[in-house]
Amino acid sequence: TDFKSSFSQSETGNIWYLVWSHPDSGKGNFTAQVDASTGEVISMNTWTPTIKPQSRIPAISWSEAQKIAADLLQRLIPNRIPYLELLEDLEPLPLTSDGPPTYTINWRRIANHIPVEGIGAWVAVNAGNGQVEGYSLNWSPLSIPDPQGIISAAEAGARFEKEGLIKLQYVEPSIYVPMDTGLDQRKPLLVYRLDHPSGGALDAFT
């Protein structure tokens, strides 16, 4: 029931910071950030003291957590949904020693059928009770270039080879097995690896 707010104005945007707290310190709070220009909720986080003991076995499944997260996005940012792609390959966190894990469901922005690196949304769902613990939207107001006129993937590969971005190297695989007293059976691998200050980023137009 204790409410506080503040306002931030910068080149990247105007944001309201909202905090609702329990009157007794240490008994929980809820925070949110709202884009003052668009009215979109761009982040939320809820915190309550942990009640012990808690079962470490999830009460909801990974797919149920995805449904909860998707429903939240549909309520908060329905206009962004058509431009977001669910990252299905990310697995939930392993069981912890003091309670059930938190499922983190991630989406990334898609523009012109191309992933937009670092732009998207995530939702954290408590696996013990299905409660949303956190949410964040990262969205850039900058316009996305049209991909018309870019070089082909084959041309990009040829350029990589010409500039010497790909080099042959030996690497030793790192495998750790606790309490393993057997002989190390690892063998160095011979691989082609990107080795360049650019990290392998090639301008798609030039």
Side-chain angles (χ1 to χ4, degrees), residues 49-71:
T50 301
I51 300 175
K52 296 184 177 181
Q54 282 190 324
S55 171
R56 291 184 291 165
I57 305 301
I60 65 169
S61 67
W62 175 239
S63 59
E64 288 172 324
Q66 287 181 320
K67 176 67 166 54
I68 292 170
D71 289 345

Side-chain angles (χ1 to χ4, degrees), residues 81-140:
I81 297 295
Y83 308 102
L84 289 173
E85 174 185 65
L86 178 65
L87 299 180
E88 303 240 19
D89 59 331
L90 297 179
E91 293 295 327
L93 295 177
L95 295 178
T96 61
S97 60
D98 58 354
T102 296
Y103 294 128
T104 301
I105 301 93
N106 293 269
W107 287 261
R108 67 180 172 194
R109 183 181 177 184
I110 297 294
N112 302 310
H113 306 290
I114 302 170
V116 183
E117 186 68 26
I119 303 298
W122 60 262
V123 177
V125 179
N126 186 298
N129 55 25
Q131 178 178 325
V132 174
E133 295 183 338
Y135 149 82
S136 180
L137 171 70
N138 178 28
W139 204 272
S140 171

Side-chain angles (χ1 to χ4, degrees), residues 26-198:
K27 289 195 173 182
N29 60 52
F30 175 82
T31 63
Q33 296 181 24
V34 179
D35 188 311
S37 302
T38 65
E40 287 181 320
V41 179
I42 54 178
S43 77
M44 297 191 309
N45 186 70
T46 182
W47 173 79
T48 53
T50 301
I51 300 175
K52 296 184 177 181
Q54 282 190 324
S55 171
R56 291 184 291 165
I57 305 301
I60 65 169
S61 67
W62 175 239
S63 59
E64 288 172 324
Q66 287 181 320
K67 176 67 166 54
I68 292 170
D71 289 345
L72 178 73
L73 293 195
Q74 189 62 53
R75 295 200 307 272
L76 294 180
I77 51 171
N79 295 334
R80 305 290 191 195
I81 297 295
Y83 308 102
L84 289 173
E85 174 185 65
L86 178 65
L87 299 180
E88 303 240 19
D89 59 331
L90 297 179
E91 293 295 327
L93 295 177
L95 295 178
T96 61
S97 60
D98 58 354
T102 296
Y103 294 128
T104 301
I105 301 93
N106 293 269
W107 287 261
R108 67 180 172 194
R109 183 181 177 184
I110 297 294
N112 302 310
H113 306 290
I114 302 170
V116 183
E117 186 68 26
I119 303 298
W122 60 262
V123 177
V125 179
N126 186 298
N129 55 25
Q131 178 178 325
V132 174
E133 295 183 338
Y135 149 82
S136 180
L137 171 70
N138 178 28
W139 204 272
S140 171
L142 302 178
S143 60
I144 299 293
D146 190 295
Q148 292 295 325
I150 63 173
I151 65 174
S152 68
E155 291 174 303
R159 189 68 177 184
F160 271 34
E161 184 175 355
K162 180 181 178 181
E163 295 295 330
L165 271 70
I166 300 174
K167 295 183 179 179
L168 194 60
Q169 295 180 346
Y170 284 105
V171 296
E172 184 176 290
S174 56
I175 302 174
Y176 174 69
V177 181
M179 309 299 292
D180 185 9
T181 58
L183 294 175
D184 192 341
Q185 300 298 317
R186 290 176 301 171
K187 293 182 179 179
L189 303 175
L190 191 57
V191 302
Y192 285 105
R193 177 185 250 175
L194 278 172
D195 184 13
H196 193 267
S198 68

